[in-house]
Amino acid sequence: MNIRRLFLISIPYLWLLALFLVPFLIVMKISLSDLAIAIPPYTPTLSLSDGWQGIKGFWAALDIENYIFLTEDNLYWKAYLSSFKIALVSTALTLLVGYPIAYGMANASPEWRPTLMMLVILPFWTSFLIRVYAWMGILSKQGFLNQFLLWSGIIDDPLVILNTNTAVYIGIVYTYVPFMILPIYATLEKMDASLIEAAIDLGCSRLKAFWLVTIPLSKSGIIAGCFLVFIPALGEFVIPSLLGGSRTLMIGKVLWEEFFSNRDWPVASAVAVILLLLLVIPIILFQRNEQKQREAEQ
Amino acid sequence: MRSKWGSVVVPDQAIGGFMQQDDTSNEFSPWNDPTQTPLIEFKGVTKRFGEFTAIDNIDLKIYEKEFFALLGPSGCGKTTLMRMLAGFESSTAGVITLEGQDVAPLPPNKRAVNMMFQSYALFPHLTVAENIAFGLKRSDMPKSEIAGRVDEMLALVQLSTFAARKPHQISGGQRQRVALARSLAKAPKLLLLDEPLGALDKKLRQETQFELMDIQEKTGTTFVIVTHDQEEAMTVASRVAVMNHGQLIQVNTPDRIYETPNSTYVADFIGEVNLIKGKVTPLNDDIVEIHWAEGEQPLAGRSSETLAKGNDVTFAIRPEKVAISKERPDKAANMVQGEIIDIAYLGNLSTYYVKISTGQTIKAQAANNRRISRRSYTWEDPVWLSWTDTAGIVLTR
Ligand SMILES: Nc1ncnc2c1ncn2[C@@H]1O[C@H](COP(=O)(O)OP(=O)(O)OP(=O)(O)O)[C@@H](O)[C@H]1O
Ligand SMILES: [Mg+2]
């Protein structure tokens, strides 16, 4: 076994250890601690100056009280469920918006494709926060949208969109649609156009050929896009807190409030650990999809 | 049915059937019969992609039950012609009719035409059997019969054991056969095959060629086939069209194309040929003399055209029609002397490259009926080449 290879292999593992496993273990530890009025605001803290006794005492003070608390208060499981619902609905909406865009890009003439790709990525050049604030300006009662609709006579009273779930959906779809477009575009672009012609030649209408050939062949792109939207949307915090109303319940928002408003780090950490465990399931499914696709391509 | 089938080496089991039918009085040649209406007709068809003319004012009639081969160099417009028949390209000018009807308003899925794509275009997400069933499911065939038909097609292309595989799990040649089976499954009136056998090895290709002819015999489907392999075109086709730069140079039966090419382009494209340039002097009947080099005996040949004295012509003669001998032949219409500069050993045949006094090289082909070590000629041997006055052809184009 040569050292060079060992070294190369160890880099990603060290990276994972330093940037994922260690922080996770710290959060995990905090979630097992108790709230305290101190800095940091929890006990126990590990101090090695007390020697063996100190470590023993430290272990004894850890418990799963915070997790039990999460099951006792309705708020938390409702927040998880509501986040799940919002993430699911907005993933579906993103797919509905993103697929036609990806399809259009893949069918555009080759000299236009880089430009279209640029346009999709362009919003990332400004701050995410500013873009969400901009949506507040558009969706508010006196915002551009209402002004336009009132002016054109489509509505008589301004619509209430801001501070509702609708605004959250709009925000999530807007923010995450590039993540949907790019993987779908990647699968559509490498699809052989003669497949559609073959389907039509064998008696399909254009629509039928799309349904029987294009959709199944872009399946891996659709699945990848859906996970890329669903996973971050589930823990989303900025969009629901800026665009959502007081009744928009999302676990990211709950987490933020526990940390900063209540300063209850242990409970907040427990919420985070559960969220992470919940996300591991779709992440594993996503990995499976990627691997299956890679195998199919070989 | 067709006279030429008798002359082709046919696998044993297939030979019995049509050898007896080999009757020249009953020859299949609807193109010579003015009362026949063509299945397909191109009338002044032109196709342009922007400035580029891919198909240039083509007139062509293809008759029912024909096996029509398109031959030509890469990029000459063969695929484009097929795509116009299938309905994927519309003509810039001119009319294409199918059974007398202008096809322009018919979308591809409404035409009784199936196409086998050059790239096969197999659906990667479907199994071999599902690929073949794809068109059948879109037709009015009852569901209960589809499976049977798929099995039949799989047996035809010898892929029954691969029915459940995906296209990426089979070899290139097998993929090609799946594509063939898929396009045949719906038993279309007109089947377009774009280089259907290119990826097959020689033996499988020959077998499939006979299968194709057999299928055509059974189903009465009209085939239009694109091929780069002129031997294949010769074997399967009732007629061959030689294309170049979007134009049809010559359309005729394989033997006519080979024996009487209408231009040096066709003569050179189909098979091997010696081309000798010269000036013509018409003698009696259709015999002409060609003065091709200072101080050399003029060549005698035949021409069906009326030529004026002094016209520039090219004399074309196939290597296998040139006899090679050590001694000067007694009475031959044409003979030249030279020296063997190269020998290409082809197994059953050898091609001798003979350099004559003018510096030109003439190819002569002879059967190797002796073992190579006892061959009569070798490098640098002085030899005589000779041929009859009907062996060659005089071309003006
Ligand atoms: N969609 C298109 N746009 C522009 N030019 C095209 C298009 N399709 C074909 N051509 C051009 O038309 C010409 C004929 O193409 P075609 O595909 O018919 O050739 P081919 O005879 O089938 O060649 P090959 O034997 O290589 O398959 C080529 O020069 C090609 O570049
Ligand atoms: Mg082609």
Side-chain angles (χ1 to χ4, degrees):
Chain A
M1 187 72 183
N2 66 51
I3 293 174
R4 217 175 83 99
R5 224 180 114 202
L6 204 67
F7 176 72
L8 282 175
I9 293 173
S10 68
I11 290 177
Y13 284 99
L14 286 172
W15 178 275
L16 273 178
L17 192 74
L19 294 173
F20 182 78
L21 204 58
V22 170
F24 175 72
L25 287 176
I26 292 171
V27 171
M28 185 82 192
K29 188 248 139 193
I30 298 173
S31 75
L32 298 171
S33 313
D34 293 319
L35 184 64
I37 302 181
I39 293 175
Y42 54 84
T43 85
T45 48
L46 182 61
S47 78
L48 294 175
S49 54
D50 296 343
W52 184 236
Q53 275 302 318
I55 294 171
K56 249 170 124 180
F58 171 78
W59 276 111
L62 295 179
D63 54 49
I64 57 165
E65 203 171 73
N66 296 316
Y67 292 93
I68 293 166
F69 173 69
L70 290 188
T71 63
E72 282 166 351
D73 193 332
N74 278 346
L75 171 77
Y76 299 101
W77 68 261
K78 275 189 179 156
Y80 282 119
L81 207 67
S82 161
S83 303
F84 191 80
K85 202 195 94 195
I86 289 174
L88 210 62
V89 171
S90 35
T91 303
L93 291 173
T94 314
L95 179 62
L96 283 180
V97 174
Y99 199 98
I101 298 175
Y103 187 78
M105 281 168 67
N107 285 299
S109 70
E111 65 262 34
W112 273 101
R113 287 182 201 167
T115 316
L116 292 172
M117 178 79 101
M118 263 282 282
L119 290 176
V120 168
I121 304 171
L122 201 64
F124 288 112
W125 289 15
T126 58
S127 155
F128 165 58
L129 219 53
I130 288 173
R131 285 181 284 137
V132 176
Y133 272 114
W135 274 105
M136 291 171 79
I138 295 171
L139 297 177
S140 72
K141 229 170 179 170
Q142 299 81 33
F144 294 119
L145 183 66
N146 274 319
Q147 279 184 24
F148 175 74
L149 291 177
L150 286 170
W151 168 81
S152 62
I154 294 171
I155 52 168
D156 296 326
D157 299 309
L159 298 173
V160 180
I161 302 176
L162 192 63
N163 302 330
T164 65
N165 279 1
T166 312
V168 177
Y169 290 137
I170 292 174
I172 294 179
V173 170
Y174 163 77
T175 308
Y176 290 109
V177 83
F179 295 105
M180 187 64 88
I181 293 173
L182 295 179
I184 294 177
Y185 170 73
T187 55
L188 286 177
E189 196 221 25
K190 64 177 181 223
M191 212 179 89
D192 182 0
S194 65
L195 291 177
I196 299 298
E197 289 187 342
I200 292 174
D201 188 65
L202 292 167
C204 285
S205 63
R206 266 182 191 281
L207 202 67
K208 192 95 189 172
F210 176 77
W211 179 248
L212 289 172
V213 179
T214 314
I215 295 275
L217 287 179
S218 53
K219 199 180 80 187
S220 62
I222 294 174
I223 294 175
C226 285
F227 279 121
L228 287 178
V229 174
F230 180 81
I231 293 167
L234 190 63
E236 183 57 51
F237 151 70
V238 176
I239 295 169
S241 61
L242 291 183
L243 300 178
S246 52
R247 283 196 291 155
T248 304
L249 198 55
M250 282 195 81
I251 199 67
K253 225 170 91 177
V254 171
L255 186 69
W256 194 88
E257 274 157 14
E258 289 296 347
F259 246 111
F260 296 100
S261 310
N262 292 354
R263 266 182 82 77
D264 192 341
W265 288 26
V267 168
S269 301
V271 169
V273 169
I274 297 285
L275 180 62
L276 188 99
L277 293 179
L278 288 178
L279 279 176
V280 162
I281 298 163
I283 287 171
I284 288 173
L285 290 177
F286 174 70
Q287 293 281 9
R288 277 248 182 95
N289 171 57
E290 294 282 286
Q291 197 174 343
K292 247 186 13 206
Q293 194 196 340
R294 239 173 287 138
E295 275 165 13
E297 273 168 17
Q298 272 164 12
Chain B
M1 291 288 258
R2 286 179 215 142
S3 59
K4 73 191 169 57
W5 282 16
S7 64
V8 174
V9 186
V10 180
D12 289 343
Q13 75 276 14
I15 212 159
F18 37 80
M19 278 296 276
Q20 284 116 36
Q21 296 169 10
D22 187 17
D23 177 357
T24 39
S25 65
N26 194 17
E27 204 177 328
F28 175 76
S29 55
W31 49 89
N32 289 329
D33 181 354
T35 61
Q36 289 274 346
T37 49
L39 178 70
I40 305 160
E41 186 166 4
F42 285 77
K43 293 182 211 154
V45 174
T46 295
K47 173 73 193 175
R48 286 194 199 92
F49 294 107
E51 290 287 286
F52 181 78
T53 307
I55 298 289
D56 193 358
N57 193 18
I58 277 185
D59 289 300
L60 178 62
K61 290 177 184 170
I62 299 175
Y63 295 85
E64 203 158 318
K65 300 195 176 151
E66 264 208 80
F67 208 127
F68 194 90
L70 286 172
L71 219 57
S74 184
C76 71
K78 306 181 294 293
T79 300
T80 308
L81 200 68
M82 298 276 241
R83 289 172 58 80
M84 289 168 83
L85 279 174
F88 296 117
E89 307 283 3
S90 53
S91 50
T92 314
V95 178
I96 303 172
T97 62
L98 185 66
E99 296 184 301
Q101 299 253 300
D102 184 0
V103 293
L106 277 182
N109 53 338
K110 297 279 186 318
R111 296 186 188 190
V113 175
N114 279 142
M115 177 153 171
M116 180 186 158
F117 287 77
Q118 197 167 6
S119 61
Y120 317 148
L122 296 179
F123 304 122
H125 58 299
L126 300 180
T127 63
V128 166
E130 286 165 340
N131 262 286
I132 296 172
F134 192 92
L136 298 173
K137 286 185 185 158
R138 260 73 271 153
S139 69
D140 44 18
M141 182 180 268
K143 267 216 170 80
S144 51
E145 289 172 26
I146 290 180
R149 177 73 177 158
V150 170
D151 287 344
E152 201 182 312
M153 296 321 296
L154 282 169
L156 183 71
V157 294
Q158 302 171 26
L159 286 173
S160 300
T161 50
F162 298 90
R165 299 244 191 127
K166 292 277 178 68
H168 67 91
Q169 294 165 321
I170 57 178
S171 77
Q174 289 167 340
R175 259 175 244 161
Q176 199 164 41
R177 283 184 279 157
V178 176
L180 184 63
R182 188 179 68 177
S183 59
L184 277 169
K186 284 181 88 174
K189 202 164 255 144
L190 172 63
L191 188 59
L192 306 171
L193 304 168
D194 200 345
E195 297 193 34
L197 312 178
L200 305 185
D201 62 68
K202 192 165 178 169
K203 198 162 169 299
L204 194 57
R205 183 157 63 210
Q206 281 177 347
E207 279 176 28
T208 318
Q209 283 166 7
F210 288 113
E211 258 167 36
L212 278 180
M213 295 199 292
D214 210 29
I215 289 162
Q216 199 231 12
E217 193 82 343
K218 277 192 212 139
T219 60
T221 307
T222 306
F223 282 57
V224 177
I225 181 171
V226 165
T227 173
H228 270 136
D229 179 357
Q230 39 144 322
E231 205 177 307
E232 181 170 295
M234 294 293 186
T235 314
V236 299
S238 61
R239 280 193 301 159
V240 174
V242 180
M243 290 184 73
N244 195 22
H245 298 308
Q247 289 174 321
L248 292 173
I249 309 295
Q250 188 173 13
V251 181
N252 215 329
T253 54
D255 57 322
R256 292 292 89 202
I257 292 257
Y258 191 77
E259 299 289 343
T260 56
N262 69 357
S263 57
T264 51
Y265 179 79
V266 175
D268 204 20
F269 193 79
I270 308 282
E272 285 199 75
V273 73
N274 295 300
L275 296 172
I276 302 166
K277 284 195 164 69
K279 290 207 185 295
V280 76
T281 308
L283 301 179
N284 55 338
D285 291 336
D286 51 359
I287 302 282
V288 296
E289 261 183 355
I290 297 139
H291 301 270
W292 58 287
E294 235 10 75
E296 289 281 342
Q297 185 79 28
L299 301 172
R302 272 166 195 273
S303 173
S304 49
E305 295 174 68
T306 43
L307 299 165
K309 187 171 160 49
N311 274 8
D312 283 318
V313 294
T314 306
F315 181 74
I317 182 157
R318 303 281 179 195
E320 73 272 15
K321 300 216 166 97
V322 179
I324 185 165
S325 59
K326 274 218 164 100
E327 275 81 48
R328 186 190 159 95
D330 291 340
K331 41 176 197 263
N334 300 290
M335 59 182 115
V336 285
Q337 200 176 12
E339 181 184 290
I340 295 177
I341 53 164
D342 210 351
I343 302 173
Y345 178 68
L346 305 171
N348 53 342
L349 298 171
S350 286
T351 304
Y352 301 92
Y353 292 81
V354 178
K355 190 169 175 181
I356 56 175
S357 57
T358 58
Q360 275 171 297
T361 303
I362 292 183
K363 287 171 274 186
Q365 218 164 45
N368 289 327
N369 27 28
R370 295 186 188 200
R371 292 284 296 272
I372 198 162
S373 54
R374 297 206 261 135
R375 202 161 47 186
S376 344
Y377 320 105
T378 182
W379 284 266
E380 290 170 18
D381 275 359
V383 289
W384 284 89
L385 300 176
S386 61
W387 58 90
T388 65
D389 58 356
T390 52
I393 175 161
V394 180
L395 300 170
T396 52
R397 280 205 282 157

